[in-house]
Amino acid sequence: MTNRLEARYLGLSLKSPLVPSASPLTATPSGARELEEAGASAIVMHSLFEEECQHDQKMLHRFLYEQELGHSESEGYLPVPDTFRTAEERYLEMLHQMKVGLEIPVIASLNGITRRGWAEHARQIAEAGADGLELNVYYVAADCEETAQDVERRYLEIVHSVRTAVPHMPLAVKISSQFTSPAHFVQQLKQVGADAVVLFNRFLQPDIQLVSRKLKPLLELSRSEELRERLRWIAIIRAQIAIDIAVTGGVHNTDDVLKAQMCGADITQMASALMQAGPGVIRRIEAGLLEWLDENEYESLLQLKGSVSYRNAADPSGFERANYLDALDSWRPE
Ligand SMILES: Cc1cc2nc3c(=O)[nH]c(=O)nc-3n(C[C@H](O)[C@H](O)[C@H](O)COP(=O)(O)O)c2cc1C
């Protein structure tokens, strides 16, 4: 019997487009198992962060060359303790456990911003058997001397270096929407070797504490409304660039998944919905999708894919400026 929810992403055939994105829920083998049992078709692991790796390097350097760890000189130059394991080693071990324990594909995730250092991590992750790799370049362009081209070049160099290091690894790049010409930028990412883009990273916005005047880091989970920015760009990119697209940010229910699918997303990633409602949300969305396909006489989700992309939409100008004018015109006082 055909699987009506089948999805294809990064060369993988998935039983549905419902994929938990990188979050604390995908940071342990037991969490990942729970998501698999709840119906996830693949998982994206919590990221290995560049900051963690840099911290380890400093620690190792101290162990090996500076001995600044509180030991007196009489103890001599101590070897690195057997128990010391770098963040990368812990990550690879976790990946290994997930690969052994799960049947669904496991996509590893690297998260950082500097130009160097990614290639070796990617090689290790490929060797450990990941089914794909997601690069999350969470870069806030805060330097007024840095041009838009410099920022884009940073991303392109990172992707190129990883692609060169792991030529056969299915590779996705998670980006924010803050590019002057997102569609053109995605095209460039494809040219340097990205197989997929994950649209879009949410930049967390710090708040300000009035009395102390300190910045307060704030982690707010998403809402469905955030999906709309993604829908526009998925529709625009799907129509022009042959690249796999995952949506992340604001996928909470069946309607969200259907809309993303119509605009042309290959998979829908979820974090906030799973953290708020628990893994059971996956089965509820699955059931909702099947019901909708029946009611609207579609054979499968794949049949629906891209039907409202920029190329296929009845009125593609709705994704552009016309949408803005219509929206302004439609406003009426209460
Ligand atoms: C607590 C938390 C931890 C996250 N950790 C990661 C991470 O390790 N790597 C990553 O690329 N994204 C991470 N994200 C971002 C999510 O994967 C996702 O892209 C974002 O939350 C938007 O999707 P959502 O609306 O479904 O939550 C994290 C998000 C949350 C809320």
Side-chain angles (χ1 to χ4, degrees):
M1 208 180 75
T2 55
N3 172 11
R4 301 173 72 198
L5 301 187
E6 184 193 356
R8 294 179 203 129
Y9 179 65
L10 287 179
L12 303 163
S13 176
L14 305 177
K15 67 181 178 208
S16 82
L18 307 177
V19 176
S21 68
S23 85
L25 300 180
T26 62
T28 61
S30 60
R33 171 92 48 83
E34 203 184 335
L35 291 164
E36 179 179 62
E37 283 164 5
S41 64
I43 61 149
V44 183
M45 288 176 72
H46 192 251
S47 298
L48 173 61
F49 288 87
E50 181 180 352
E51 288 83 349
E52 295 173 315
C53 298
Q54 286 169 347
H55 176 260
D56 286 340
Q57 271 169 10
K58 278 189 201 140
M59 287 285 286
L60 276 171
H61 191 271
R62 282 204 207 156
F63 268 122
L64 293 172
Y65 304 113
E66 296 174 18
Q67 295 293 315
E68 279 178 4
L69 294 170
H71 303 290
S72 68
E73 217 169 280
S74 61
E75 287 175 278
Y77 289 90
L78 298 174
V80 178
D82 288 342
T83 50
F84 181 82
R85 286 162 73 241
T86 62
E88 184 185 54
E89 285 167 340
R90 293 195 301 275
Y91 195 81
L92 295 173
E93 174 59 29
M94 185 83 70
L95 169 57
H96 174 71
Q97 287 176 21
M98 288 188 188
K99 280 302 298 168
V100 170
L102 302 182
E103 284 178 18
I104 54 175
V106 178
I107 298 168
S109 165
L110 283 174
N111 198 316
I113 53 167
T114 54
R115 289 176 167 82
R116 291 203 199 121
W118 296 69
E120 191 45 38
H121 296 313
R123 259 192 289 270
Q124 299 287 343
I125 282 172
E127 262 175 43
D131 296 287
L133 176 60
E134 186 176 290
L135 295 181
N136 183 350
V137 189
Y138 187 108
Y139 181 67
V140 179
D143 179 354
C144 71
E145 299 297 327
E146 193 178 34
T147 66
Q149 269 187 333
D150 293 337
V151 174
E152 291 186 2
R153 201 173 306 120
R154 172 188 295 272
Y155 282 71
L156 298 173
E157 283 175 16
I158 289 171
V159 176
H160 177 69
S161 75
V162 171
R163 174 42 81 216
T164 310
V166 287
H168 306 297
M169 168 68 97
L171 185 61
V173 185
K174 187 169 179 176
I175 57 171
S176 81
S177 61
Q178 295 187 5
F179 292 91
T180 308
S181 177
H184 177 72
F185 181 53
V186 167
Q187 190 170 42
Q188 287 181 285
L189 288 170
K190 180 184 161 149
Q191 281 161 3
V192 292
D195 301 306
V197 280
V198 185
L199 309 177
F200 289 117
N201 238 337
R202 293 172 78 224
F203 281 135
L204 302 178
Q205 316 293 353
D207 202 355
I208 293 171
Q209 289 165 335
L210 288 178
V211 175
S212 65
R213 287 177 287 142
K214 283 191 178 144
L215 288 184
K216 185 163 100 185
L218 208 59
L219 183 99
E220 280 170 331
L221 297 180
S222 72
R223 288 170 296 127
S224 280
E225 294 83 86
E226 293 179 41
L227 183 64
R228 288 202 288 268
E229 182 187 28
R230 278 94 183 154
L231 294 179
R232 164 182 298 194
W233 288 107
I234 292 167
I236 288 173
I237 290 163
R238 166 56 65 224
Q240 301 180 70
I241 306 167
I243 192 164
D244 288 357
I245 303 174
V247 59
T248 182
V251 178
H252 284 255
N253 55 45
T254 303
D255 287 4
D256 295 338
V257 176
L258 287 166
K259 288 175 195 172
Q261 194 79 18
M262 287 179 188
C263 288
D266 294 286
I267 62 162
T268 36
Q269 296 190 1
M270 286 182 287
S272 296
L274 294 166
M275 294 167 80
Q276 280 164 342
V281 79
I282 298 175
R283 291 273 182 239
R284 288 200 288 282
I285 293 180
E286 253 179 30
L289 291 172
L290 289 169
E291 202 179 306
W292 195 93
L293 291 178
D294 282 341
E295 277 170 10
N296 294 277
E297 298 179 1
Y298 279 89
E299 279 297 311
S300 67
L301 272 186
L302 286 176
Q303 192 190 355
L304 197 65
K305 196 165 86 181
S307 53
V308 190
S309 79
Y310 187 67
R311 182 178 297 138
N312 297 331
D315 177 14
S317 66
F319 287 118
E320 299 173 20
R321 189 176 157 86
N323 185 243
Y324 162 64
L325 291 177
D326 289 347
L328 295 187
D329 274 351
S330 69
W331 187 83
R332 301 279 177 280
E334 292 279 311

